[in-house]
Amino acid sequence: MLAANRVPSYVLPQPWEVLQEAEAWIRSGKLWPHLLASVLREFGGFGAATLIATLLGLATGRWRSFREFAQPLISLFMSIPPIAWAPLSLIFFGIGYLSIAAVIFVASVFPMIVTIQDGVLAMRDGEIRAARMLGTRPIQLFAHVYLPASLPFLTSALRIGFAQAWRALVAAEMIGASQGIGWMVAMGGQVGNASQVLLGIALIGFIAWLMEGLVFQRIERQYAQWRGQ
Protein backbone atom coordinates (compact mmCIF):
# COMPACT_ATOMS: atom_id res chain seq x y z
CA MET A 1 0.00 0.00 0.00
CA LEU A 2 2.76 2.47 0.96
CA ALA A 3 4.70 1.64 -2.19
CA ALA A 4 1.59 2.08 -4.31
CA ASN A 5 0.98 5.51 -2.74
CA ARG A 6 4.50 6.68 -3.56
CA VAL A 7 4.70 5.23 -7.10
CA PRO A 8 2.52 6.45 -10.02
CA SER A 9 -0.56 4.28 -10.55
CA TYR A 10 0.42 3.43 -14.12
CA VAL A 11 3.56 1.76 -12.67
CA LEU A 12 2.13 0.19 -9.50
CA PRO A 13 -1.68 0.44 -9.24
CA GLN A 14 -3.56 0.65 -5.99
CA PRO A 15 -5.31 -2.59 -4.89
CA TRP A 16 -8.71 -1.05 -5.58
CA GLU A 17 -7.59 -0.31 -9.16
CA VAL A 18 -6.74 -3.98 -9.65
CA LEU A 19 -10.16 -4.91 -8.26
CA GLN A 20 -11.79 -2.51 -10.70
CA GLU A 21 -9.85 -4.15 -13.52
CA ALA A 22 -11.07 -7.56 -12.37
CA GLU A 23 -14.66 -6.31 -12.20
CA ALA A 24 -14.39 -4.95 -15.75
CA TRP A 25 -13.05 -8.26 -17.07
CA ILE A 26 -15.77 -10.23 -15.27
CA ARG A 27 -18.66 -7.97 -16.32
CA SER A 28 -17.56 -7.97 -19.94
CA GLY A 29 -17.29 -11.77 -19.91
CA LYS A 30 -13.72 -11.63 -21.27
CA LEU A 31 -12.12 -13.28 -18.26
CA TRP A 32 -13.75 -16.71 -18.47
CA PRO A 33 -12.42 -17.76 -21.92
CA HIS A 34 -8.88 -16.93 -20.76
CA LEU A 35 -9.28 -18.87 -17.53
CA LEU A 36 -10.81 -21.85 -19.33
CA ALA A 37 -8.06 -21.89 -21.96
CA SER A 38 -5.32 -21.91 -19.31
CA VAL A 39 -7.01 -24.57 -17.16
CA LEU A 40 -7.61 -26.90 -20.12
CA ARG A 41 -4.00 -26.56 -21.28
CA GLU A 42 -2.67 -27.08 -17.76
CA PHE A 43 -4.65 -30.20 -16.98
CA GLY A 44 -4.12 -31.69 -20.42
CA GLY A 45 -0.34 -31.47 -20.24
CA PHE A 46 -0.12 -32.09 -16.50
CA GLY A 47 -2.53 -35.03 -16.61
CA ALA A 48 -0.52 -36.76 -19.34
CA ALA A 49 2.69 -36.04 -17.43
CA THR A 50 1.25 -37.54 -14.23
CA LEU A 51 0.29 -40.77 -15.97
CA ILE A 52 3.63 -41.20 -17.76
CA ALA A 53 5.66 -40.13 -14.72
CA THR A 54 3.86 -42.62 -12.46
CA LEU A 55 4.55 -45.52 -14.82
CA LEU A 56 8.15 -44.56 -15.51
CA GLY A 57 8.87 -43.64 -11.90
CA LEU A 58 7.67 -47.04 -10.71
CA ALA A 59 9.64 -48.76 -13.48
CA THR A 60 12.91 -46.92 -12.85
CA GLY A 61 12.60 -47.55 -9.14
CA ARG A 62 11.79 -51.22 -9.64
CA TRP A 63 14.32 -52.25 -12.27
CA ARG A 64 17.93 -51.19 -11.77
CA SER A 65 18.99 -51.80 -15.37
CA PHE A 66 16.19 -49.61 -16.68
CA ARG A 67 17.05 -46.93 -14.11
CA GLU A 68 20.71 -46.91 -15.18
CA PHE A 69 19.59 -46.47 -18.78
CA ALA A 70 16.95 -43.82 -18.14
CA GLN A 71 18.62 -41.73 -15.41
CA PRO A 72 21.14 -39.92 -17.68
CA LEU A 73 18.36 -39.06 -20.14
CA ILE A 74 16.10 -37.78 -17.37
CA SER A 75 18.92 -35.65 -15.94
CA LEU A 76 19.64 -34.28 -19.42
CA PHE A 77 16.07 -33.22 -20.08
CA MET A 78 15.61 -31.84 -16.56
CA SER A 79 18.55 -29.50 -17.10
CA ILE A 80 16.91 -27.87 -20.14
CA PRO A 81 14.59 -24.93 -19.27
CA PRO A 82 11.04 -25.91 -20.31
CA ILE A 83 10.46 -22.63 -22.13
CA ALA A 84 13.35 -23.54 -24.45
CA TRP A 85 11.05 -26.16 -25.97
CA ALA A 86 8.35 -23.60 -26.81
CA PRO A 87 9.76 -22.51 -30.23
CA LEU A 88 10.20 -26.15 -31.31
CA SER A 89 6.71 -27.00 -30.08
CA LEU A 90 5.28 -24.08 -32.06
CA ILE A 91 7.05 -25.35 -35.20
CA PHE A 92 5.60 -28.85 -34.77
CA PHE A 93 2.07 -28.04 -33.55
CA GLY A 94 1.53 -24.37 -34.42
CA ILE A 95 -0.10 -21.83 -32.14
CA GLY A 96 -2.78 -23.53 -30.08
CA TYR A 97 -3.57 -26.14 -27.46
CA LEU A 98 -1.09 -28.87 -28.40
CA SER A 99 2.00 -26.68 -28.54
CA ILE A 100 1.45 -25.31 -25.02
CA ALA A 101 0.34 -28.67 -23.58
CA ALA A 102 3.56 -30.21 -24.93
CA VAL A 103 5.68 -27.60 -23.12
CA ILE A 104 3.72 -28.24 -19.91
CA PHE A 105 4.27 -32.00 -20.30
CA VAL A 106 8.03 -31.64 -20.73
CA ALA A 107 8.26 -29.21 -17.80
CA SER A 108 6.51 -31.47 -15.30
CA VAL A 109 7.14 -35.09 -16.28
CA PHE A 110 10.84 -35.45 -15.46
CA PRO A 111 10.82 -34.01 -11.89
CA MET A 112 7.82 -36.22 -11.15
CA ILE A 113 9.60 -39.33 -12.44
CA VAL A 114 12.56 -38.71 -10.13
CA THR A 115 10.35 -38.09 -7.08
CA ILE A 116 8.25 -41.23 -7.60
CA GLN A 117 11.40 -43.25 -8.29
CA ASP A 118 12.79 -42.12 -4.92
CA GLY A 119 9.60 -43.34 -3.29
CA VAL A 120 10.04 -46.82 -4.73
CA LEU A 121 13.71 -46.92 -3.77
CA ALA A 122 12.81 -45.95 -0.20
CA MET A 123 10.75 -49.11 0.26
CA ARG A 124 12.00 -51.78 2.63
CA ASP A 125 13.09 -55.04 1.03
CA GLY A 126 11.19 -57.04 3.63
CA GLU A 127 7.84 -55.75 2.37
CA ILE A 128 8.65 -56.79 -1.18
CA ARG A 129 9.92 -60.22 -0.17
CA ALA A 130 6.83 -60.83 1.98
CA ALA A 131 4.55 -59.99 -0.94
CA ARG A 132 6.45 -62.31 -3.25
CA MET A 133 6.34 -65.15 -0.74
CA LEU A 134 2.56 -64.80 -0.70
CA GLY A 135 2.50 -65.40 -4.45
CA THR A 136 1.89 -61.82 -5.54
CA ARG A 137 2.00 -61.36 -9.30
CA PRO A 138 4.06 -58.51 -10.85
CA ILE A 139 0.96 -56.43 -11.64
CA GLN A 140 -0.41 -56.99 -8.13
CA LEU A 141 2.99 -56.08 -6.70
CA PHE A 142 2.85 -52.73 -8.45
CA ALA A 143 -0.80 -52.06 -7.58
CA HIS A 144 -0.80 -53.22 -3.94
CA VAL A 145 2.79 -52.76 -2.76
CA TYR A 146 4.80 -50.28 -4.80
CA LEU A 147 2.05 -47.78 -5.52
CA PRO A 148 0.63 -47.51 -1.96
CA ALA A 149 4.12 -47.28 -0.47
CA SER A 150 4.92 -44.47 -2.92
CA LEU A 151 1.86 -42.38 -2.07
CA PRO A 152 3.70 -39.78 0.07
CA PHE A 153 6.24 -39.33 -2.71
CA LEU A 154 3.46 -39.26 -5.29
CA THR A 155 1.84 -36.34 -3.46
CA SER A 156 5.16 -34.50 -3.47
CA ALA A 157 5.57 -35.33 -7.15
CA LEU A 158 2.15 -33.86 -7.92
CA ARG A 159 3.00 -30.66 -6.06
CA ILE A 160 6.34 -30.30 -7.83
CA GLY A 161 4.90 -31.25 -11.21
CA PHE A 162 1.97 -28.86 -10.94
CA ALA A 163 4.21 -25.96 -9.93
CA GLN A 164 6.55 -26.62 -12.85
CA ALA A 165 3.63 -27.08 -15.24
CA TRP A 166 1.91 -23.88 -14.08
CA ARG A 167 5.07 -21.83 -14.56
CA ALA A 168 5.63 -23.33 -18.00
CA LEU A 169 2.01 -22.67 -18.98
CA VAL A 170 2.22 -18.97 -18.19
CA ALA A 171 5.58 -18.59 -19.95
CA ALA A 172 4.41 -20.50 -23.02
CA GLU A 173 1.19 -18.46 -23.26
CA MET A 174 3.27 -15.29 -23.26
CA ILE A 175 5.11 -16.55 -26.33
CA GLY A 176 2.66 -18.55 -28.41
CA ALA A 177 -0.99 -18.05 -27.46
CA SER A 178 -3.84 -15.75 -28.36
CA GLN A 179 -5.63 -16.19 -25.02
CA GLY A 180 -4.94 -17.39 -21.49
CA ILE A 181 -3.67 -15.94 -18.22
CA GLY A 182 -0.13 -15.69 -19.54
CA TRP A 183 -1.44 -13.86 -22.59
CA MET A 184 -3.27 -11.43 -20.26
CA VAL A 185 -0.02 -10.66 -18.42
CA ALA A 186 1.99 -10.27 -21.63
CA MET A 187 -0.57 -8.05 -23.34
CA GLY A 188 -0.99 -5.94 -20.22
CA GLY A 189 2.75 -5.33 -20.21
CA GLN A 190 2.82 -4.47 -23.91
CA VAL A 191 0.07 -1.85 -23.65
CA GLY A 192 1.28 -0.52 -20.29
CA ASN A 193 -1.75 -1.70 -18.31
CA ALA A 194 -0.20 -2.55 -14.94
CA SER A 195 -3.61 -3.36 -13.43
CA GLN A 196 -4.13 -6.11 -16.01
CA VAL A 197 -0.65 -7.47 -15.32
CA LEU A 198 -1.28 -7.61 -11.57
CA LEU A 199 -4.70 -9.17 -12.16
CA GLY A 200 -3.08 -11.96 -14.17
CA ILE A 201 -0.44 -12.49 -11.48
CA ALA A 202 -3.15 -12.64 -8.80
CA LEU A 203 -5.07 -15.24 -10.81
CA ILE A 204 -1.93 -17.36 -11.17
CA GLY A 205 -1.40 -17.37 -7.41
CA PHE A 206 -5.09 -17.90 -6.62
CA ILE A 207 -5.40 -21.00 -8.82
CA ALA A 208 -2.22 -22.49 -7.32
CA TRP A 209 -3.67 -21.83 -3.85
CA LEU A 210 -6.92 -23.57 -4.81
CA MET A 211 -5.03 -26.62 -6.07
CA GLU A 212 -3.12 -26.86 -2.81
CA GLY A 213 -6.25 -26.66 -0.66
CA LEU A 214 -8.70 -28.63 -2.79
CA VAL A 215 -6.44 -31.34 -4.23
CA PHE A 216 -3.04 -31.85 -2.62
CA GLN A 217 -4.09 -31.47 1.01
CA ARG A 218 -7.06 -33.80 0.44
CA ILE A 219 -4.75 -36.42 -1.05
CA GLU A 220 -2.54 -36.14 2.02
CA ARG A 221 -5.51 -36.56 4.37
CA GLN A 222 -6.70 -39.58 2.41
CA TYR A 223 -3.23 -41.08 2.58
CA ALA A 224 -3.14 -40.53 6.36
CA GLN A 225 -6.45 -42.39 6.73
CA TRP A 226 -5.21 -45.22 4.52
CA ARG A 227 -1.95 -45.54 6.48
CA GLY A 228 -3.91 -45.62 9.74
CA GLN A 229 -5.88 -48.60 8.47
Side-chain angles (χ1 to χ4, degrees), residues 38-61:
S38 291
V39 169
L40 290 177
R41 291 165 181 158
E42 171 74 6
F43 285 99
F46 177 62
T50 299
L51 175 62
I52 298 301
T54 301
L55 296 176
L56 291 181
L58 292 173
T60 55

Side-chain angles (χ1 to χ4, degrees), residues 210-227:
L210 281 180
M211 282 294 297
E212 174 65 27
L214 298 180
V215 178
F216 301 135
Q217 290 184 5
R218 288 190 176 186
I219 293 175
E220 284 186 338
R221 287 195 294 268
Q222 187 66 32
Y223 165 73
Q225 295 175 2
W226 170 83
R227 184 170 61 177

Side-chain angles (χ1 to χ4, degrees), residues 171-187:
E173 286 182 339
M174 289 181 177
I175 295 175
S178 57
Q179 60 179 182
I181 300 175
W183 178 90
M184 287 174 57
V185 173
M187 288 302 299

